[in-house]
């Protein structure tokens, strides 16, 4: 098993603009795939059978890679896609956040055919991460965009895209950057509040799936660099991982303890994180 991280680049963060691989102990293994179609990558997701890795490329296309890093599926360029996060839905379709269109679209698992709108265009001012529960309920983080536009909330939709709640939570200390669903069904959100402020408070926040109430806050001890938190993922060990600027942080989800900075790489500028089998696994 390995940790894969997308690193943003250029005007989006002066990172590496690559899909990077790390051993579980944090040792850098290099670029997972050198395919030139992977540029300034963002969202990542792994198929249910663990054989395919879906990658949202800044070249306005979605790719699927095998364990050797070879591209085996490619949507081709889709002008204006501007893909952010990506997650596989319970029905196997691949959901992608479109930052410019302010919505979520779905691709068939084989990435053939045009994307289909899951939610209307402009459904939130700026999408900042989403996840689908087993019953199809879709939770969408609505955050602040690069130009300062947006809001700090979570919207909820049923499996048909019908709005259930425009503001699922009430938390004046939240500015969401990614969202995941925990094994207990609660909603986990990475946050930087106020967004891009020099003195922003960074944290990971857990909300009750029924009430939207804040349950607890995950944060490393003072002095541990935790800046620009983005992608969230639960590892095979059950721990909660968050990729951030220069680091990947690990927390014990059971008791909330900060465990370690399992990856440290200057200029990482991580956007998404997944765990993917090694070729020999």
């Amino acid at each position: 098993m390995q940790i894969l991280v997308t690193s943003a680049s250029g005007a989006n963060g002066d990172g590496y603009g690559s899909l990077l691989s790390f051993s579980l102990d944090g040792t850098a293994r290099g670029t997972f795939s050198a395919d030139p179609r992977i540029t300034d990558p963002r969202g990542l997701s792994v198929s249910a059978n663990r054989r395919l890795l879906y990658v949202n490329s800044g070249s306005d296309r979605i790719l699927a890679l095998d364990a050797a890093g070879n591209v085996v599926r490619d949507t081709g360029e889709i002008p204006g896609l501007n893909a952010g996060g990506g997650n596989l839905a319970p029905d196997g379709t691949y959901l992608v956040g479109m930052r410019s269109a302010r919505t979520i679209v779905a691709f068939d698992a084989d990435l053939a055919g045009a994307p289909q709108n899951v939610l209307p265009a402009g459904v939130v001012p700026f999408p900042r991460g989403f996840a689908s529960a087993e019953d199809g309920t879709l939770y969408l983080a609505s955050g602040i965009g690069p130009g300062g536009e947006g809001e700090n909330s979570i919207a909820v939709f049923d499996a048909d895209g019908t709005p259930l709640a425009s503001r699922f939570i009430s938390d004046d200390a939240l500015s969401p950057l990614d969202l995941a669903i925990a094994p207990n069904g609660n909603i986990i959100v990475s946050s930087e509040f106020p967004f891009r402020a020099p003195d922003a408070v960074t944290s990971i926040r857990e909300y009750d799936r029924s009430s939207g109430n804040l349950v607890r806050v995950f944060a490393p001890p003072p002095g541990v660099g935790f800046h620009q938190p983005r992608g969230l993922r639960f590892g095979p060990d059950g721990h909660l991982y968050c990729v951030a600027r220069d680091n990947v942080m690990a927390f014990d989800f059971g008791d909330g303890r900060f465990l370690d900075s399992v990856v440290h790489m200057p200029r990482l500028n991580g956007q998404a994180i997944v765990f993917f089998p090694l070729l020999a696994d």
Side-chain angles (χ1 to χ4, degrees):
M1 192 67 67
Q2 63 190 310
I3 301 171
L4 297 181
V5 172
T6 52
S7 173
S9 63
N12 294 312
D14 191 30
Y16 296 95
S18 300
L19 175 58
L20 303 175
S21 171
F22 301 88
S23 300
L24 294 182
D25 65 3
T27 302
R29 303 181 68 250
T31 301
F32 177 70
S33 174
D35 192 291
R37 288 169 286 186
I38 302 174
T39 64
D40 195 19
R42 296 300 168 131
L44 292 173
S45 194
V46 176
S47 64
N49 63 10
R50 314 295 294 174
R51 293 179 180 175
L52 289 179
L53 173 73
Y54 290 84
V55 182
N56 295 355
S57 174
S59 59
D60 281 339
R61 66 206 311 149
I62 309 300
L63 306 168
L65 283 64
D66 63 18
N70 299 314
V71 172
V72 296
R73 298 175 186 173
D74 179 1
T75 61
E77 184 179 354
I78 303 174
L81 181 63
N82 192 16
N87 274 305
L88 284 157
D91 65 3
T93 56
Y94 184 56
L95 305 184
V96 173
M98 293 180 66
R99 292 175 293 182
S100 297
R102 311 303 199 238
T103 189
I104 295 174
V105 297
F107 291 87
D108 289 338
D110 61 7
L111 300 184
Q116 303 297 313
N117 276 18
V118 174
L119 301 174
V123 70
V124 295
F126 199 86
R128 277 291 187 185
F130 61 90
S132 296
E134 286 299 319
D135 63 359
T137 302
L138 182 64
Y139 296 85
L140 172 59
S142 179
I144 306 299
E149 74 282 12
E151 60 187 1
N152 293 320
S153 65
I154 297 173
V156 187
F157 306 85
D158 69 14
D160 297 319
T162 301
L164 299 177
S166 59
R167 295 188 66 88
F168 172 63
I169 61 163
S170 179
D171 183 355
D172 292 338
L174 171 74
S175 185
L177 291 165
D178 194 25
L179 181 150
I181 297 177
N184 63 7
N186 284 349
I187 309 306
I188 309 296
V189 182
S190 56
S191 172
E192 178 187 289
F193 182 82
F195 178 60
R196 284 192 170 173
D199 58 348
V201 175
T202 55
S203 62
I204 300 170
R205 311 173 81 79
E206 179 183 358
Y207 300 94
D208 184 271
R209 61 181 171 179
S210 300
S211 66
N213 292 333
L214 181 65
V215 175
R216 54 181 170 168
V217 175
F218 299 80
V224 176
F226 187 42
H227 308 291
Q228 300 174 19
R230 292 295 194 273
L232 297 164
R233 194 71 62 178
F234 284 87
D237 52 11
H239 296 328
L240 173 61
Y241 292 80
C242 180
V243 63
R245 182 81 183 188
D246 304 334
N247 292 287
V248 173
M249 303 292 189
F251 299 85
D252 185 308
F253 186 70
D255 59 22
R257 287 181 299 120
F258 170 70
L259 296 175
D260 198 5
S261 173
V262 296
V263 169
H264 180 72
M265 174 180 281
R267 295 178 44 239
L268 177 63
N269 195 30
Q271 300 296 307
I273 176 173
V274 295
F275 294 82
F276 194 52
L278 289 165
L279 188 59
D281 283 0

